[in-house]
Each structure stands twice: as C-alpha cells, then as structure tokens.
C-alpha cells in the first residue's frame, strides 16, 4: 500500500444513499486514489483505467480474483444509482459512471464518472470539514461492503469522536439495505451492525461503539463513539527524532501555516504533479499537505517540521 493512497470525496457524496457491492466500492476507491496519485485528475471526459494487477496489489488478493472482481464490477457499476441532497437540501438522483469498458488485452477496465460524482470529488476548496478522507489501507482488508460503508460514514466524525444520530431509515439506505432485507432489528444488528463494527475494530485505525436511540420502545436510530487506536513506537530512533518530525500537538491552522511556507513548498513541491489540483491551486495544495502531514509526517524530513512555522 502506497503512503499516498488517500481517498478524498465530499461529505455529501460520502453520505449518499447507495447500494454498491464490495468490488464496486473498491473500484471507485481506486479510481479516486489513482487519479490523484498520477496527477491525471478526474473529469467527465477522460477514462480512468483500473487493472487487475492494481486491484490485486491494493486489496491483497490473487490476480485471478482481482480480474473476476473488476469484470463483475464493470458489468454492474454502470447500472448503479445513488441519491444525495444538494446545496439547497433538495434530493438528487444520479449514477456513478456514464461509461464503462472491458479492456481485454490489458486485463483492465476503464470507467468515466458522471458529472455529479466528478463534481463532488474535485471540489476540494481547502475547507477540510466539508470533505471525508481516509487511507485506502484502512478498508483494504475488509470483507464486507457494509463494513466499508460504515467506516466511511463514521470516519467523517473521527476528530469529534461522536456522531449525530443516524436515523434508522436513512442509515439503512446509506448502507445499501433495501426495505425487504433484515427487517427484524435483532437480525439487522447481528448480521450488519455488530459484525461490521467487529471488522472495523479489528482491521482499521479506529475503535467504534454505539448506543441505540429510541422513541418509546422502538429503536429509531443509532449514535456512535469513535476513538483512534494508539500507534506503538517502532524504534529508538523514532524516540530521538519525535520532537523534530512529529506533527503531534499541531492543529490544522498550524499545519496550514507550515504548508503555506515558501520554504516548505520549495522543499516538497516534487510530491505533487504540476497538472494536479494541488499543483495548480494554493488551497488544494494546503489541503493535500495537511492530510499528508497528518497521515505520515515521516516523508517530510528535510528539516524539523516546526521550523516551517517561522516565516
């Protein structure tokens, strides 16, 4: 897994009502990550290529399994729809992709996102609270699409550590559960909610618990508590350098100041392509660097991180 494998999309798209399979979720994750990684960007005109080899690498499966997964996703993803609330809180119905193709000679598929998806992925304006981001590795080993979806819904509230009430009907729709599925609450909790939380707690960077919200004796929703797992120290060398290169104790405003420092920009402008959003827009650069600093500050070693606060 590459350290730059950061999935970023708007909160509005992240909380959309959808019904994707696990392989389809993974295809969308890879398309977002690779478009940012290569600097190609995402548009409604240029196809994005997803190979079986890339899928196998990202999700630790065999090439044959990966090939079958991307082919299955290509067949069905074109028909998948989702709905979300626009800036006027009006419901919008849309599709994920407008075009798909099986590239047989390359064991790959190509897809082109729809306008709504592109719009919600590329509108990075520097205001982090409007966007959800996470490292692809946090969901790569999950085997349930419900676990991945629940993780995406919860990670938006990671810094706050508590979620608002997830109203039951919309929550089920966001997880991709139809009205006819898991109608009994005990079945829904056992098969979907509890098993997803168990997988998230085991395989991701967060620990999750929940409480039921009731109206009378009827469960009407759920509230979640989120905590971040502590990271063990690996070597004595890390202890020596921790005060020099860590971003612990620095808030987003301070990290933004570091990212805007001309010396920092000169030292690390090679990390992004000149054709990518971060290479063309100052706010996109700041947003990108804040996330990279928070996810893995070890790649910024040309000088102590806090030195960039002074300019």
């Amino acid at each position: 897994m590459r350290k730059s494998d950061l999935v970023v999309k708007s909160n509005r798209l992240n909380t959309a009502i959808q019904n994707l399979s696990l392989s389809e979720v993974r295809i969308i994750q890879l398309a977002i990550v690779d478009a940012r990684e290569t600097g190609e960007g995402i548009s409604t005109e240029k196809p994005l290529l997803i190979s079986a080899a890339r899928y196998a690498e990202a999700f630790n499966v065999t090439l044959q399994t990966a090939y079958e997964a991307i082919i299955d996703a290509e067949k069905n993803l074109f028909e998948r729809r989702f709905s979300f609330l626009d800036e006027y809180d009006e419901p919008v119905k849309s599709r994920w992709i407008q075009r798909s193709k099986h590239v047989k000679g390359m064991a790959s598929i190509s897809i082109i996102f729809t306008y709504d998806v592109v719009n919600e992925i590329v509108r990075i304006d520097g205001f982090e609270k409007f966007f959800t981001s996470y490292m692809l590795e946090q969901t790569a080993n999950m085997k349930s699409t419900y676990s991945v979806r629940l993780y995406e819904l919860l990670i938006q509230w990671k810094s706050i550590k508590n979620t608002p009430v997830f109203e039951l009907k919309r929550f089920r729709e966001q997880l991709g559960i139809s009205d006819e599925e898991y109608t009994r609450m005990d079945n829904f909790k056992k098969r979907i909610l509890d098993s997803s939380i168990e997988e998230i707690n085991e395989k991701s960077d967060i620990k999750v618990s929940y409480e039921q919200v009731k109206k009378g004796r009827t469960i009407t929703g759920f509230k979640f508590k989120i905590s971040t797992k502590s990271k063990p120290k690996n070597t004595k060398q890390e202890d020596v350098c921790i005060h020099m290169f860590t971003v612990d104790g620095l808030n987003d405003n301070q990290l933004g100041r570091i990212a805007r420092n001309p010396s920092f920009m000169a030292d690390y402008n090679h990390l992004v392509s000149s054709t990518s959003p971060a290479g063309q827009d100052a706010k996109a650069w700041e947003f990108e660097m804040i996330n990279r600093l928070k996810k893995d500050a070890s790649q910024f070693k040309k000088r102590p991180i806090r030195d960039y606060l002074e300019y």
Side-chain angles (χ1 to χ4, degrees):
M1 191 67 62
R2 298 171 297 190
K3 294 176 181 177
S4 56
D5 280 352
L6 188 67
V7 181
V8 183
K9 52 186 174 180
S10 75
N11 292 345
R12 187 156 57 202
L13 181 62
N14 187 54
T15 57
I17 294 171
Q18 61 184 60
N19 61 340
L20 299 175
S21 69
L22 181 60
S23 60
E24 290 161 1
V25 169
R26 287 175 166 179
I27 289 297
I28 290 173
Q29 289 175 324
L30 286 180
I32 293 172
V33 165
D34 289 354
R36 296 176 68 252
E37 168 80 3
T38 62
E40 293 292 329
I42 297 176
S43 74
T44 58
E45 299 176 355
K46 189 169 184 178
L48 299 169
L49 194 69
I50 306 295
S51 70
R54 173 69 171 117
Y55 189 104
E57 172 201 21
F59 302 112
N60 194 29
V61 298
T62 66
L63 274 173
Q64 182 61 33
T65 298
Y67 181 74
E68 292 172 357
I70 67 171
I71 296 306
D72 182 66
E74 188 273 333
K75 290 178 181 177
N76 298 311
L77 194 53
F78 183 77
E79 302 298 331
R80 298 296 192 187
R81 303 177 185 184
F82 67 98
S83 62
F84 64 97
L85 299 177
D86 65 13
E87 59 268 32
Y88 307 106
D89 285 333
E90 297 291 338
V92 176
K93 296 178 182 179
S94 188
R95 294 179 183 268
W96 288 97
I97 64 173
Q98 59 171 305
R99 185 176 186 271
S100 67
K101 180 181 179 181
H102 176 197
V103 187
K104 296 181 180 179
M106 299 175 62
S108 303
I109 63 172
S110 69
I111 62 173
I112 302 179
F113 283 126
T114 61
Y115 166 81
D116 287 314
V117 175
V118 170
N119 190 46
E120 295 302 320
I121 292 174
V122 303
R123 291 187 321 112
I124 299 176
D125 56 9
F127 295 98
E128 187 175 358
K129 67 181 181 179
F130 297 133
F131 290 85
T132 297
S133 63
Y134 60 91
M135 294 301 291
L136 185 60
E137 65 183 346
Q138 300 304 335
T139 62
N141 293 319
M142 294 181 186
K143 304 303 181 184
S144 167
T145 186
Y146 301 123
S147 301
V148 177
R149 275 301 290 147
L150 181 59
Y151 178 89
E152 289 185 324
L153 293 171
L154 295 179
I155 202 66
Q156 178 179 330
W157 306 97
K158 178 180 176 181
S159 62
I160 301 175
K161 300 183 179 180
N162 291 280
T163 71
V165 176
F166 285 16
E167 185 273 325
L168 181 59
K169 185 178 186 302
R170 180 171 177 81
F171 181 43
R172 285 171 53 92
E173 292 173 335
Q174 288 172 321
L175 293 175
I177 300 172
S178 70
D179 292 339
E180 294 76 29
E181 295 179 296
Y182 306 104
T183 55
R184 289 178 47 178
M185 180 55 68
D186 60 342
N187 200 20
F188 169 75
K189 288 169 59 178
K190 179 180 179 181
R191 301 286 185 178
I192 303 298
L193 191 54
D194 292 340
S195 61
S196 295
I197 287 177
E198 181 179 355
E199 188 167 35
I200 288 170
N201 289 344
E202 177 188 351
K203 298 178 179 179
S204 78
D205 57 340
I206 59 175
K207 283 281 188 180
V208 180
S209 61
Y210 71 88
E211 61 179 275
Q212 301 169 163
V213 178
K214 293 184 176 181
K215 185 175 183 180
R217 300 180 62 181
T218 303
I219 297 174
T220 58
F222 298 91
K223 293 175 66 176
F224 296 85
K225 291 184 178 180
I226 307 162
S227 60
T228 305
K229 294 178 183 176
S230 59
K231 296 181 179 179
K233 296 176 182 178
N234 294 325
T235 65
K236 292 182 179 180
Q237 182 65 32
E238 287 181 354
D239 293 337
V240 172
C241 296
I242 191 167
H243 70 285
M244 296 179 65
F245 299 105
T246 185
V247 296
D248 290 348
L250 296 177
N251 59 36
D252 282 4
N253 287 334
Q254 291 171 310
L255 293 176
R257 181 176 176 83
I258 288 170
R260 294 191 300 271
N261 186 322
S263 296
F264 179 90
M265 298 173 74
D267 285 343
Y268 298 110
N269 61 10
H270 64 280
L271 295 178
V272 301
S273 166
S274 61
T275 59
S276 69
Q280 297 180 336
D281 180 80
K283 287 185 175 181
W285 161 270
E286 183 177 335
F287 175 79
E288 175 83 9
M289 290 302 112
I290 287 174
N291 275 299
R292 291 197 185 200
L293 284 163
K294 289 165 72 174
K295 295 294 182 182
D296 180 29
S298 66
Q299 61 184 307
F300 301 94
K301 289 186 175 181
K302 292 193 174 182
R303 69 183 76 179
I305 292 294
R306 284 169 173 76
D307 282 6
Y308 294 105
L309 283 170
E310 304 299 327
Y311 74 97

